[in-house]
Amino acid sequence: MKFFLDTADLAEIEEAASWGVLAGVTTNPTLYSRIGGKLADFPNHIKKICDMVDGPVSAESVAMTRDEIIRDGRELAAIAPNVVVKVPTMIEGLAATKALAAEGIPVNMTLCFTVPQAIMAARSGARYISPFIGRFDDISEDGLAQFADVVQAIGNYDFTDHTVNGEKIEIIAASVRSANHVAQAALMGADIATVPFATLKKCVQHPLTDRGLETFLKDWEKVQ
Ligand code: G3P
């Protein structure tokens, strides 16, 4: 499983990229607004992220009609070769994804929750599908169980005749809230987990690692 960072914060991206495990970035309108981003600077900001990351960078269209999403998608894809256009799972989104994929523009279909949504996203030509985990938990449903169903259903079929350049569809575990979400998504066979910075940091930490390190350092002092 690859690690993407779910953020629009350049400092977080720079730091995570320096760890050597970052394979991509996903952004969304909320994450961009959270860093105080402004519409006029959006293309420039996405370009900065694309230059910092050796991997796909998802930039979202907020348009509601297929023609507008296609127009957005073309504009976003022109920013950098590693841009992936993020499109919401909805009828207009499916139609736009079909058109963008036909032009060789990769799409990450977002706000995906259920198996039928995921299968439709795949059939429309999405290169990435982002089933959300945490938002199911927010409404007292089992986000990981829903995610497992999507992974299994997508794995049952070959969608390579629908994707850009016949590439394998990749499932991005999204709305990830904990290291346990990351662990379970990996066990279920997620291709990618897109993780907020604080959670990504927690993925490398464990109390037993800290305790073991403390002991090693103390014992090493004894041999000085
Ligand atoms: O980028 C989409 C997704 O990861 C958002 O997560 O935490 O806002 O549900 P969250």
Side-chain angles (χ1 to χ4, degrees):
M1 188 176 73
K2 290 176 275 190
F3 287 103
F4 284 11
L5 197 60
D6 198 24
T7 189
D9 186 312
L10 298 180
E12 290 183 352
I13 294 166
E14 188 177 22
E15 172 64 16
S18 77
W19 302 348
V21 296
L22 192 63
V25 167
T26 52
T27 66
N28 66 34
T30 302
L31 294 170
Y32 187 58
S33 116
R34 206 174 278 164
I35 59 149
K38 295 290 169 227
L39 180 60
D41 191 44
F42 186 62
N44 185 39
H45 192 81
I46 293 296
K47 175 76 172 90
K48 282 184 191 160
I49 298 175
C50 288
D51 289 344
M52 292 166 77
V53 180
D54 187 15
V57 173
S58 289
E60 191 155 346
S61 165
V62 289
M64 293 303 291
T65 67
R66 66 191 73 184
D67 289 344
E68 288 170 336
I69 298 170
I70 293 166
R71 191 198 57 214
D72 272 4
R74 287 175 183 149
E75 285 175 13
L76 291 168
I79 293 172
N82 52 336
V83 164
V84 170
V85 180
K86 221 171 173 191
V87 175
T89 308
M90 58 181 185
I91 288 170
E92 293 303 295
L94 293 174
T97 297
K98 184 91 185 163
L100 290 169
E103 294 179 19
I105 296 175
V107 168
N108 171 5
M109 191 143 266
T110 189
L111 288 169
C112 176
F113 291 89
T114 67
V115 168
Q117 285 181 316
I119 300 276
M120 292 184 91
R123 286 283 168 218
S124 74
R127 172 70 175 76
Y128 302 90
I129 306 173
S130 291
F132 280 31
I133 297 172
R135 291 193 193 184
F136 265 122
D137 295 346
D138 291 344
I139 59 162
S140 304
E141 289 194 33
D142 187 342
L144 283 169
Q146 298 282 353
F147 183 77
D149 285 350
V150 170
V151 172
Q152 187 187 335
I154 292 295
N156 284 344
Y157 306 100
D158 177 7
F159 296 103
T160 51
D161 52 341
H162 295 271
T163 55
V164 175
N165 302 325
E167 289 168 317
K168 182 187 165 288
I169 277 190
E170 290 184 272
I171 299 180
I172 305 179
S175 189
V176 163
R177 306 279 174 78
S178 66
N180 185 51
H181 277 170
V182 174
Q184 299 308 316
L187 289 168
M188 290 165 191
D191 300 290
I192 297 155
T194 190
V195 187
F197 183 76
T199 309
L200 193 65
K201 222 172 172 182
K202 284 183 188 157
C203 286
V204 75
Q205 294 167 335
H206 194 278
L208 290 177
T209 306
D210 296 342
R211 200 187 302 170
L213 187 56
E214 204 181 310
T215 308
F216 286 159
L217 291 175
K218 268 191 198 146
D219 289 343
W220 193 243
E221 271 175 27
K222 292 178 196 163
V223 303
Q224 302 304 307

